[in-house]
């Protein structure tokens, strides 16, 4: 059930990558999260009309805590990045359809850039048999790698400039991993659309199911407006906020 709440910030940390890790205490919202990959819609400042969608990085039902990891890229997220412990946020959530995961499944988790944080939620949700493949522009932009290492069997990193891990894109590492071991339940991915397209193609080559979390601008966050509408493979319009953000890769039209 989606609710709107005034939530208190209990932790706000500037990450070495330049991102921000922010945890807030909700009033039962954490217990409403059904799958990793869902998001919250945060009001950012008095003068900004639209909320900002922020993916849920991880959550704790016992502590009623929800963690967001984001980058200050625009006016709204710059405002959010300046909030301090003890301040309150107007939060709507949890929203969207997350990743479908089986408790005993083995998953190849692929994240690119700011698409990395929600994959940590997937890693913590499943067992330790998963592999994480994380892509960044450079070593300076890398985030959460050590946290993935605590809950994944293997973590591999790719950087555009070769300053950390594999020199190149994540799809090359996905191919290497599936050539080495094809007993994954599914590939789960979040990041820029070109990355998702490439990862989905590799997964299809090996006959492995693939789910992707799409990034689109959003307005209302509940499917009432058309801001985040995108074309599906069947030609019909889908709302990323309501029908997604997670889709089976075969549902997505990769042509646009």
């Amino acid at each position: 059930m989606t609710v709107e709440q005034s939530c208190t910030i209990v932790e706000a940390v500037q990450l070495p990558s330049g991102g921000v890790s922010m945890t807030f205490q909700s009033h039962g919202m954490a217990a409403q999260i059904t799958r990793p990959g869902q998001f919250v819609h945060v009001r950012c400042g008095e003068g900004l009309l639209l909320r900002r969608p922020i993916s849920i990085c991880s959550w704790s039902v016992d502590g009623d805590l929800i963690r967001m990891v984001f980058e200050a890229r625009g006016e709204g997220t710059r405002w959010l990045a300046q909030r301090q412990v003890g301040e309150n946020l107007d939060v709507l959530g949890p929203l969207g359809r997350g990743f479908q995961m089986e408790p005993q499944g083995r998953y190849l988790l692929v994240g690119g850039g700011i698409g990395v944080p929600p994959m940590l939620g997937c890693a913590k949700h499943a067992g330790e048999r998963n592999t994480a493949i994380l892509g960044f522009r450079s070593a300076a932009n890398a985030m959460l790698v050590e946290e993935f290492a605590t809950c994944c069997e293997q973590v591999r990193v790719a950087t555009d400039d070769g300053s950390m891990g594999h020199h190149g894109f994540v799809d090359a590492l996905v191919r290497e991993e599936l050539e080495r071991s094809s007993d994954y339940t599914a590939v789960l991915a979040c990041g820029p659309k070109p990355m998702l397209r490439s990862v989905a193609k590799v997964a299809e080559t090996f006959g492995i199911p693939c789910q992707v979390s799409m990034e689109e601008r959003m307005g209302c966050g509940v499917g009432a407006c058309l801001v985040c509408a995108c074309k599906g493979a069947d030609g019909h319009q889908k709302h990323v906020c309501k029908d997604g953000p997670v889709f089976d890769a075969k549902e997505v039209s990769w042509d646009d």
Side-chain angles (χ1 to χ4, degrees), residues 55-102:
S55 62
I56 296 171
C57 177
S58 59
W59 70 97
S60 169
V61 174
D62 292 339
D64 206 5
L65 302 173
I66 296 177
R67 181 189 182 194
M68 311 178 293
V69 175
F70 61 94
E71 293 179 345
R73 292 185 171 180
E75 185 179 359
T77 47
R78 283 196 297 268
W79 177 91
L80 184 60
Q82 295 170 3
R83 298 311 97 198
Q84 303 296 318
V85 171
E87 293 188 56
N88 290 332
L89 298 175
D90 184 323
V91 182
L92 180 67
L95 295 168
R97 184 180 71 167
F99 291 99
Q100 297 185 55
M101 301 182 70
E102 301 172 7

